[in-house]
Amino acid sequence: METKTNIIDLESIRKDFPILTRKVNGKPLIYFDNGATSQKPQAVIAAIEKYYTLENSNIHRGIHTLSQEATEAYEAARNTVQHFLNAEHSKEIIFTSGTTGSLNLLASSIGKKHINQGDEIIISTMEHHSNIVPWQMLCEEKGAILKVVPINDKGEFLMNEFENLLSDKTKLVSVTHVSNTLGTINPVKEIIAKAHQKGALVIIDGAQAVPHTKVDVRNLDCDFYVFSAHKMLGPTGVGILYGKESLLNDLPPYQGGGDMIKTVTFEKTTYNELPHKFEAGTPNIAGGIGLAAAIDYMNKIGVDKIEAHEHELLSYATKEIKQIEGIRIIGEANNKASVLSFLVDGTHPSDIGMIIDKLGIAIRTGHHCTEPLMDRFDIPGTARASFAFYNTIEEIDTFIHALKRAIKMLL
Ligand code: PLP
């Protein structure tokens, strides 16, 4: 296969993803919907299958061999995530159901402990609904105020405006590391430092960052970092909440139930230590193990190489798409991840999506769970191609050709 980039061994990598060999509508699948969820390598599928085939058992309280093996595998997965993020302790890694689960946990626990009437919470214009709605619900409950950092026409976070919004009333800042709609990579280290100067806590939504770039939570100095496994080669239904130990210790638990307790009487319950305090009930054991397999797979290729290859894909696709008449790119930040959102004059994104699906090409169309961002650009939605490291230059050529055909049919 002609790849025109030699940063990674694409031919062998693509063989690791069984789904990439299938046909859709009679054409070889071209999967450009990685922002929604990535495909899974055989190593991840095999790890999940091995768990259910040979190790399936409930964790933590069992004394029998299977339970101990399952517990060891699950806790080893936690250690893998710890090293992936460069967290100080494995107890700072909480397994959740995903980014949305992690953010709702934080809204509930931080809300109970730290948010009062008149307090302010800052987010940005480019947040996913899952980093908007939990804060709106909390503000409504507590009488707190939600403030929103504007962006410029290129889709970049406006640092000056952020500084103007920060005040002694700011209790929390929650912003995305990478925008799922625009691809913008936000200067989160600077955002965190400025928020800390005002004594605010900072949450970073890393759902679109961890699949593409190295994240070091200690270097960033974020208080909390959240992401989903399924966008970074892992299974659905599992995600991570990283939090600094002292802050997590200080927060009340989210849900009550098994595993999160130390002792229970009808008079009083005492809570378990980290990380179990935030993990009530039987978790997604296979999911945690699958996530660790995904991290191992990414590490084997090298996250720096993944990033470099995806950067080439984005540059090439951007250059090619700009040559099509009537194209408007939404999101032209200087620092961008491999997301290409666009509109074509005189056409509707969903018509384009439907036509190129007939040619085996999967892109996403709509508001991408960022309706306020669509309002900012005064558009109903976009067509979005989002690339992963297993995508090729040749696939982009086929996509551009298909796009031209679709436009011809529609105009
Ligand atoms: N945040 C961002 C930036 C996202 O892109 C997404 C999903 O698209 C989410 C949060 C929500 O992730 P999940 O649906 O896996 O909880």
Side-chain angles (χ1 to χ4, degrees):
M1 176 178 295
E2 175 64 77
T3 60
K4 294 185 197 154
T5 100
N6 55 8
I7 296 166
I8 51 178
D9 183 356
L10 267 174
E11 212 171 304
S12 100
I13 283 172
R14 286 181 65 85
K15 284 192 191 133
D16 293 336
F17 290 80
I19 208 168
L20 297 181
T21 60
R22 74 160 278 187
K23 291 198 166 165
V24 170
N25 296 319
K27 305 277 184 194
L29 167 66
I30 294 182
Y31 187 76
F32 285 170
D33 194 18
N34 296 285
T37 198
S38 74
Q39 296 303 343
K40 322 301 173 199
Q42 186 56 41
V44 169
I45 298 166
I48 295 167
E49 191 182 346
K50 175 172 172 253
Y51 168 74
Y52 280 125
T53 309
L54 296 172
E55 295 161 351
N56 177 52
S57 180
N58 212 332
I59 56 171
H60 289 149
R61 290 162 310 280
I63 50 151
H64 61 80
T65 304
L66 278 190
S67 176
Q68 285 179 19
E69 283 178 9
T71 304
E72 268 169 37
Y74 195 64
E75 292 307 321
R78 198 188 303 278
N79 292 340
T80 301
V81 178
Q82 176 204 343
H83 296 301
F84 181 65
L85 293 178
N86 193 31
E88 196 171 351
H89 309 289
S90 67
K91 59 185 158 188
E92 294 176 321
I93 305 299
I94 313 294
F95 282 110
T96 66
S97 60
T99 309
T100 306
S102 300
L103 289 167
N104 277 277
L105 185 164
L106 288 171
S108 167
S109 294
I110 293 177
K112 277 187 199 128
K113 178 86 187 183
H114 296 293
I115 306 297
N116 296 305
Q117 184 154 16
D119 286 344
E120 294 179 359
I121 296 171
I122 298 180
I123 59 173
S124 85
T125 306
M126 67 180 93
E127 300 311 318
H128 188 278
H129 293 162
S130 65
N131 197 26
I132 301 173
V133 184
W135 307 119
Q136 284 177 324
M137 291 160 75
L138 176 61
C139 286
E140 203 170 309
E141 185 190 326
K142 294 283 187 149
I145 298 151
L146 191 64
K147 301 227 155 171
V148 183
V149 182
I151 57 172
N152 63 19
D153 290 343
K154 287 163 80 180
E156 291 168 320
F157 184 93
L158 290 173
M159 195 62 77
N160 286 349
E161 302 278 352
F162 173 54
E163 285 177 82
N164 290 339
L165 289 179
L166 277 170
S167 78
D168 295 339
K169 289 187 187 157
T170 312
K171 288 288 155 21
L172 181 70
V173 174
S174 189
V175 291
T176 195
H177 196 162
V178 174
S179 159
N180 62 311
T181 304
L182 306 171
T184 308
I185 302 174
N186 280 321
V188 285
K189 195 168 172 171
E190 201 181 335
I191 292 170
I192 293 161
K194 288 193 191 318
H196 281 168
Q197 278 166 18
K198 291 285 179 191
L201 293 170
V202 188
I203 301 169
I204 303 297
D205 172 357
Q208 297 291 341
V210 284
H212 309 294
T213 192
K214 181 89 199 92
V215 171
D216 180 333
V217 290
R218 272 191 279 179
N219 178 265
L220 290 177
D221 194 31
C222 52
D223 299 305
F224 305 98
Y225 197 97
V226 300
F227 66 90
S228 303
H230 71 93
K231 293 183 195 288
M232 50 163 295
L233 314 181
T236 53
V238 65
I240 294 297
L241 158 60
Y242 156 81
K244 286 179 180 163
E245 182 188 2
S246 58
L247 296 172
L248 288 175
N249 269 329
D250 205 33
L251 290 180
Y254 176 42
Q255 293 178 319
D259 234 26
M260 55 75 73
I261 54 89
K262 202 171 260 169
T263 60
V264 180
T265 66
F266 284 120
E267 287 70 42
K268 184 168 173 59
T269 290
T270 56
Y271 303 130
N272 207 341
E273 292 158 1
L274 293 177
H276 311 293
K277 183 171 98 174
F278 291 104
E279 295 182 353
T282 301
N284 185 346
I285 304 166
I289 291 167
L291 168 58
I295 292 173
D296 288 343
Y297 184 85
M298 282 178 73
N299 284 338
K300 208 174 75 192
I301 295 170
V303 179
D304 49 341
K305 287 190 180 161
I306 286 174
E307 189 170 12
H309 174 66
E310 289 177 353
H311 191 74
E312 290 216 351
L313 293 176
L314 179 70
S315 302
Y316 182 74
T318 305
K319 180 170 71 69
E320 293 297 309
I321 209 169
K322 274 186 171 169
Q323 288 169 25
I324 299 177
E325 215 185 296
I327 283 278
R328 177 180 169 201
I329 295 178
I330 307 294
E332 294 193 278
N334 285 341
N335 199 8
K336 250 189 94 167
S338 52
V339 173
L340 188 56
S341 262
F342 61 93
L343 290 167
V344 185
D345 282 351
T347 69
H348 196 280
S350 55
D351 292 335
I352 288 182
M354 272 190 291
I355 293 173
I356 69 171
D357 174 59
K358 295 279 172 280
L359 302 168
I361 303 169
I363 61 166
R364 186 148 291 247
T365 60
H367 56 57
H368 316 296
C369 295
T370 53
E371 282 191 49
L373 181 61
M374 298 296 98
D375 293 342
R376 160 64 179 79
F377 284 98
D378 202 17
I379 53 177
T382 74
R384 180 188 74 180
S386 49
F387 311 114
F389 60 92
Y390 43 71
N391 290 130
T392 68
I393 295 283
E394 191 185 52
E395 287 180 317
I396 291 174
D397 285 338
T398 308
F399 160 66
I400 296 287
H401 185 71
L403 186 56
K404 285 179 184 164
R405 261 180 80 180
I407 295 168
K408 220 181 229 170
M409 283 170 72
L410 291 167
L411 291 181

